[in-house]
Amino acid sequence: LGVGGDFRNYKYKQTPSADALAGAIYNYAPVAAYDMNRDNTGLFAELLVPVIKGLDLTGAVRYDKVTAIDNAGTTVGNDMDATTYKLAARFQVASSLLLRASYGTGFKAPAMLDISQPLVAAGVTAASWDCPFPNTDACKPGKLQYSVLSGGNANLKPEKSTQLTVGLRFEPTASFGFGADYWEVKITDAVSGVSERQAFADPQKYASLFTTYRTPAETQDYYAFIRSSTNIGKAINRGIDWDITGRLALGQSRLTMGLTGTYLLESSYTRPGTDNDFTDSMNKYGENAAVSFRNIIRATATLDTGALSNSLTVKYRNGYSDQTATARNTATNKNESVTLQVPDYVTLDWQTNYQFNKALELRLGVKNLLNKEPPMSLRDSSGHQVGYDARYADPFMRTVYVEGKFSF
């Protein structure tokens, strides 16, 4: 039996300089001042029960309380609290076979900035858009980018979840092992946001996410999109994590090979403002401006020879259907809607490590050894890098690095 508690006080302060507030920096909108703090208190207990030889049961319970945010004397948001628990079982059927399972609940309070951040300038939209409310004074001419403002949402609620895992580990010999775990996470009041594509596609529905704003370089107020977190509803994620490990002695060396991956069975979420209108982003660019990949796999091979170690790592991420975009057909000189099939993305990394002594270690490596280019994508969100999606592919391509470590 174990019991305990914890207390944390978090502070977040930002103070713009006098020059920033006075507009001394050309075309710079000063950031807002804030001085936030809140308290997090937790109490927990855990009990381990050996039922029979090889079978252990574990039960745990935790109570958390997160206070409302004090922003320079002003209270923002509400107090949040919850009691969560976890039940787990571990059964060593034989020396080579382990079965395991767990079920629990979760509680996660939104970040302080998600709740209390003042509305501040955050650049412009990633894409160009028609005016959300045509024939009004705050419209820009034609299709252009609009300002983006970022701010908190004092009405945010904490995320709550349930988690389930069932798995096994099989190691018949010291040279081979296999493991697999089915997992499932269901979230209610999931904290996310409405994308600019969703908002500009239906501005009447999301009218509360539009305001007017004038940058230092503009002579009048124009519409601006407010990027703010919200409780979108529900999210369900299910998948299987698996791994295979092999070891082989080669004279004075030892070769260790590993293959790990995640096979995603479901990754669905409700559209903002609903609790039963589900959609998903499985192997496609979804409404949430993101992709959920069915298969992510990593293969490694490490050869250890005394103080020298060499490793090769292959990373794989399956392809997906890109966002539908409008592109010019150079043959017909007309605009057409196209949906690219973004291909699989595979990279190879290499690393050499040499342990000179107990204190000194040197590491040399090359990321993306074959200089693989990011696959083409026509997505128009998640930043202003165009032609590829930097969240899922590395634009640096082949990168050489050297690291040293000295312990004393």
Side-chain angles (χ1 to χ4, degrees):
L1 173 66
V3 296
D6 55 72
F7 173 81
R8 297 180 178 90
N9 175 257
Y10 291 93
K11 296 184 178 181
Y12 209 126
K13 185 175 182 178
Q14 181 167 270
T15 306
S17 69
D19 283 344
L21 292 173
I25 305 175
Y26 175 72
N27 199 26
Y28 175 75
V31 294
Y34 48 78
D35 186 1
M36 309 177 195
N37 77 85
R38 74 177 178 187
D39 296 335
N40 291 19
T41 305
L43 300 171
F44 58 87
E46 183 174 3
L47 178 65
L48 173 62
V49 181
V51 181
I52 58 174
K53 183 179 180 180
L55 175 60
D56 295 331
L57 300 180
T58 303
V61 62
R62 180 181 176 93
Y63 172 77
D64 287 282
K65 181 175 181 179
V66 182
T67 64
I69 296 170
D70 179 357
N71 187 1
T74 301
T75 300
V76 184
N78 302 298
D79 291 347
M80 308 174 189
D81 69 295
T83 300
T84 55
Y85 66 89
K86 181 178 180 180
L87 302 173
R90 182 182 186 275
F91 185 30
Q92 191 78 49
V93 180
S95 60
S96 61
L97 179 61
L98 171 69
L99 303 180
R100 56 201 177 199
S102 67
Y103 179 85
T105 59
F107 163 85
K108 181 182 178 183
M112 285 197 289
L113 288 180
D114 285 342
I115 297 174
S116 186
Q117 180 187 4
L119 207 58
V120 295
V124 296
T125 56
S128 297
W129 302 99
D130 292 319
C131 181
F133 306 102
N135 303 316
T136 55
D137 293 339
C139 286
K140 291 185 176 182
K143 181 178 288 190
L144 293 171
Q145 291 174 302
Y146 282 82
S147 292
V148 173
L149 304 179
S150 176
N153 178 358
N155 296 316
L156 274 183
K157 296 181 289 185
E159 293 182 334
K160 295 186 178 181
S161 64
T162 60
Q163 309 101 36
L164 167 71
T165 65
V166 178
L168 61 86
R169 184 75 197 170
F170 181 56
E171 295 187 356
T173 70
S175 300
F176 175 79
F178 169 77
D181 290 279
Y182 168 84
W183 53 267
E184 178 180 288
V185 180
K186 295 182 178 180
I187 302 174
T188 56
D189 292 325
V191 175
S192 184
V194 176
S195 69
E196 67 178 66
R197 175 167 289 273
Q198 289 173 308
F200 279 90
D202 195 348
Q204 297 297 333
K205 179 178 179 179
Y206 300 111
S208 62
L209 295 180
F210 289 94
T211 186
T212 55
Y213 178 73
R214 181 186 305 188
T215 69
E218 292 173 335
T219 58
Q220 73 164 81
D221 293 343
Y222 292 108
Y223 287 116
F225 170 59
I226 300 175
R227 183 183 297 138
S228 179
S229 295
T230 184
N231 296 106
I232 64 168
K234 299 177 181 178
I236 301 174
N237 294 284
R238 299 185 300 117
I240 298 173
D241 292 337
W242 56 270
D243 71 273
I244 302 172
T245 303
R247 306 173 185 88
L248 181 64
L250 298 173
Q252 300 299 314
S253 302
R254 182 175 181 83
L255 178 63
T256 303
M257 296 168 288
L259 191 63
T260 62
T262 296
Y263 182 80
L264 200 58
L265 297 169
E266 180 181 3
S267 182
S268 58
Y269 50 90
T270 54
R271 293 181 168 91
T274 72
D275 61 4
N276 57 7
D277 184 12
F278 279 89
T279 184
D280 69 79
S281 304
M282 182 69 75
N283 285 348
K284 65 182 180 182
Y285 189 97
E287 294 181 17
N288 61 347
V291 181
S292 299
F293 293 90
R294 176 79 76 182
N295 278 295
I296 298 178
I297 300 173
R298 178 188 179 100
T300 60
T302 302
L303 183 65
D304 294 308
T305 308
L308 181 65
S309 175
N310 284 279
S311 297
L312 286 174
T313 302
V314 179
K315 299 175 184 177
Y316 168 85
R317 190 187 297 268
N318 66 250
Y320 62 93
S321 296
D322 197 17
Q323 173 186 321
T324 299
T326 300
R328 175 73 66 172
N329 186 327
T330 56
T332 63
N333 202 32
K334 294 181 179 179
N335 288 336
E336 297 179 3
S337 292
V338 295
T339 304
L340 294 181
Q341 292 301 312
V342 179
D344 299 346
Y345 184 61
V346 184
T347 59
L348 175 65
D349 300 339
W350 165 75
Q351 184 184 96
T352 289
N353 189 82
Y354 190 79
Q355 188 79 44
F356 287 90
N357 48 50
K358 291 183 179 180
L360 181 60
E361 180 181 346
L362 182 65
R363 184 177 296 116
L364 170 66
V366 182
K367 295 181 179 179
N368 197 353
L369 183 64
L370 303 181
N371 211 30
K372 177 82 170 183
E373 294 183 356
M376 184 176 180
S377 168
L378 297 180
R379 67 102 180 93
D380 60 7
S381 64
S382 306
H384 299 290
Q385 296 164 300
V386 296
Y388 61 94
D389 198 323
R391 297 172 298 175
Y392 310 128
D394 188 358
F396 287 104
M397 298 174 63
R398 183 184 294 126
T399 306
V400 179
Y401 63 91
V402 179
E403 298 176 356
K405 179 181 178 182
F406 183 72
S407 304
F408 58 91

